[in-house]
Amino acid sequence: MRDDVAWTVDRGRYEDAVTPWEQESWRTAALAWVADGLAAHGLRAAGPLEVRLRPWSVLARVPVAGRPAVWFKANPPASGFEGALTAALARWVPRHVLAPLAVDADRGWSLLPDGGALFRDVLERQAVGPEAWEGLLRQYAEMQRALVSHTQEIEDLGVPDARPARLPVMFDELVAGNSALRPADRSRLERLRPRLRDWCAELAALGVPDSLDHADLHDGQLFHPEPGRYTFFDWGDATVSHPFCSLHVTARRAAERYGPGVMARLRDAYLEPWTDDGRTAAELRRAVDLAWRLSVLGRARAWGGLFPATPGTPGSASLSEHSAGSLLELLDEPPFSPHPAGHP
């Protein structure tokens, strides 16, 4: 694939963000790597690229002769593990994820096949009820359980450690490093720290083993190629964490579509695969409440994973505000049910 191949560029709301795509030498190397990756599978590009540039990724849709398009993705250093993680997941839990066509772990590049219908598009085309979200959460929980034995291998790939024991330190780093927090909000968060430490200790004591947390699992981050089957992708925000942290984003997105009454139903569907380890329903639900609140730290961290040239631009300022907003969600009560006396 030559550097003079045609392409269109979508920058979304981040017109001022700087990515490696602007560097001719980087772009030439990336296009050559894509061509080699396609050739290794007997494929070739056929048509202009559609390039999406964001402060946290370069994503290009590459039309391919005789089959669906493939996708090139480049991650910044903070999420450069994504290609290697995607390849490892394809070995460990192939039923649940995409198998990459090529990965360059050192450069944070990956080449991915088409995954079928995006769940978001299915929701727009069809009348889909909450039961579909229940199914995807059960499947996702089954995948997390299968990955428990691989947590150290996942961390060795560079996936950040966000286990409960690590979260108080992460909290301190995020609060200290966020310039968008107003003084009053910073004070509120600093006063919360003793309770946060207690929440982390209680969550760890409940004994659910750590696993992989996608950290941003919504309807645009999974495919629904056929009834009853879901394929999870886009692992750039992932952490090694308490698995129940994953529920927050998914359940909130479903509640936006069906109303808050769906929350408890989705929680219980997600917990079904975790009920055979001897823990009571009350213990699992308590763990969900704690993980729900603490999961916002993973979201706050993810907003800082930008390409090195991006900080200081107008676009990055809005990302700091998003991170601050996530931190302030620590002050919100979990949505499922009233807490008994003595609990937050």
Side-chain angles (χ1 to χ4, degrees), residues 115-129:
L118 196 66
F119 188 44
R120 176 182 293 163
D121 295 338
V122 174
L123 292 172
E124 294 304 317
R125 292 196 306 262
Q126 304 174 17
V128 177

Side-chain angles (χ1 to χ4, degrees), residues 167-183 185-193 196 297 300 323-324 327-328 330:
L167 290 180
V169 175
M170 181 184 292
F171 170 82
D172 292 341
E173 294 170 348
L174 289 167
V175 171
N178 192 299
S179 60
L181 282 169
R182 295 177 300 178
D185 289 334
R186 188 180 300 276
S187 295
R188 293 170 71 200
L189 289 170
E190 289 171 349
R191 290 195 300 271
L192 186 70
R193 192 187 190 284
L196 181 140
L297 293 174
S323 182
L327 287 170
L328 291 171
L330 282 164

Side-chain angles (χ1 to χ4, degrees), residues 211-255:
S211 185
L212 182 66
D213 172 19
H214 185 286
D216 194 26
L217 186 62
H218 57 71
D219 50 350
Q221 306 280 43
L222 65 145
F223 298 107
H224 188 30
E226 59 188 50
R229 181 180 165 218
Y230 303 89
T231 304
F232 307 105
F233 72 100
D234 200 348
W235 298 97
D237 293 339
T239 63
V240 174
S241 185
H242 193 285
F244 294 4
C245 288
S246 289
L247 180 62
H248 191 145
V249 171
T250 318
R252 285 186 63 172
R253 186 62 63 91

